[in-house]
Amino acid sequence: MRVLVVEDEVELAKQVGRALEEAGYTVDISHDGEDGEFLGSTEPYDAVVLDLGLPKVDGLTVLDRWRKEGHSMPVLILTARESWSEKVSGFDKGADDYVTKPFNMEELLARLRALIRRSAGRATSIMDCGPVQLDTRSGKVSLDGMPVTLTANELKVLSYLMHHLDRVVSRTELTEHIYDQDFDRDSNTIEVFIGRLRKKLGPDVIQTHRGRGYSLSSPRDIV
Ligand code: CA
């Protein structure tokens, strides 16, 4: 899952970025509204953390432009104070949730997890696919109830497929959602991660669709 953080306070942006990375997200950071708007409309993010008071273009305008262009990724806004009018305008412009500064990092992470989960149509933080279970809070994976150890990138691939169950996801799409903008992307590495996931989770959990990509499918025998 890849998250964009648009926040002009450099130290705060760094802290949020670090917390998100530790939680297993891929993170891009932008320090002004112009750059943030550009990234949000050209890169495929799974969620955005958007400050409202930003240089060049303010956060509400950025959000408004994204929504008018049809970008529907979940957006969590950061408001500087308990200002109800800012929150109302934020929701009216298409924000999905907000936190008020100063905020608790755990709360920000919990809200973001919930947003990403809901946009994937999942109601709970534990996701199942047959014998595989992913706890999105802890990032822990189990197979038939037994813990499985995954590397950060393997977890990112599995998590993305879990959030898009029963849909074929191309290698390019996976690449775009697990690497940040500065990474020298090579979609061949995806194949390597899929191979390792199959070794750890069993050969049938991830399906290959020739020339199209991969999918995780909910088991057909359980109706
Ligand atoms: Ca600000």
Side-chain angles (χ1 to χ4, degrees):
M1 296 288 139
R2 188 169 164 206
V3 177
L4 171 65
V5 177
V6 191
E7 167 60 67
D8 59 318
E9 288 170 53
V10 175
E11 195 47 44
L12 179 62
K14 212 188 279 176
Q15 282 172 19
V16 172
R18 209 179 298 134
L20 291 176
E21 274 166 9
E22 279 166 15
Y25 298 101
T26 298
V27 182
D28 289 328
I29 291 177
S30 175
H31 296 299
D32 70 67
E34 196 177 275
D35 180 60
E37 184 195 344
F38 175 75
L39 283 176
S41 52
T42 52
E43 296 287 330
Y45 293 102
D46 299 294
V48 178
V49 176
L50 178 67
D51 183 31
L52 290 187
L54 290 169
K56 296 191 185 171
V57 185
D58 71 272
L60 278 181
T61 305
V62 170
L63 179 58
D64 191 37
R65 289 179 185 166
W66 281 340
R67 294 312 191 216
K68 282 182 176 148
E69 287 167 17
H71 302 292
S72 59
M73 66 286 197
V75 173
L76 179 134
I77 53 177
L78 302 177
T79 61
R81 64 202 96 85
E82 271 293 345
S83 156
W84 63 268
S85 60
E86 269 190 357
K87 280 176 213 157
V88 171
S89 324
F91 284 123
D92 283 343
K93 297 254 187 276
D96 298 276
D97 202 355
Y98 67 88
V99 290
T100 306
K101 290 184 192 174
F103 55 85
N104 177 293
M105 202 61 85
E106 283 304 313
E107 183 188 350
L108 178 90
L109 288 174
R111 288 183 180 276
L112 204 61
R113 264 196 314 270
L115 281 185
I116 292 175
R117 207 172 66 210
R118 284 203 297 267
S119 77
R122 299 293 200 112
T124 60
S125 60
I126 296 192
M127 299 185 175
D128 287 297
C129 179
V132 181
Q133 193 175 67
L134 167 68
D135 183 339
T136 58
R137 289 183 64 174
S138 62
K140 291 204 164 73
V141 175
S142 65
L143 177 68
D144 285 322
M146 300 296 285
V148 178
T149 308
L150 300 183
T151 65
N153 281 328
E154 289 162 12
L155 183 61
K156 284 178 182 182
V157 170
L158 180 70
S159 176
Y160 193 79
L161 291 174
M162 274 279 198
H163 280 82
H164 299 86
L165 219 53
D166 296 323
R167 179 161 83 67
V168 179
V169 177
S170 71
R171 277 200 294 188
T172 310
E173 182 177 342
L174 276 170
T175 308
E176 284 173 343
H177 287 265
I178 72 164
Y179 294 125
D180 62 40
Q181 56 166 338
D182 300 324
F183 195 88
D184 181 17
R185 291 173 192 164
D186 174 3
S187 66
N188 288 322
T189 57
I190 297 293
E191 231 170 315
V192 176
F193 299 144
I194 296 278
R196 290 198 208 135
L197 282 170
R198 283 188 173 132
K199 264 192 194 132
K200 293 180 180 181
L201 303 173
D204 305 325
V205 169
I206 300 169
Q207 291 81 41
T208 300
H209 303 264
R210 260 190 114 74
R212 292 165 58 217
Y214 306 97
S215 71
L216 261 185
S217 300
S218 28
R220 299 284 170 219
D221 48 341
I222 307 166
V223 181

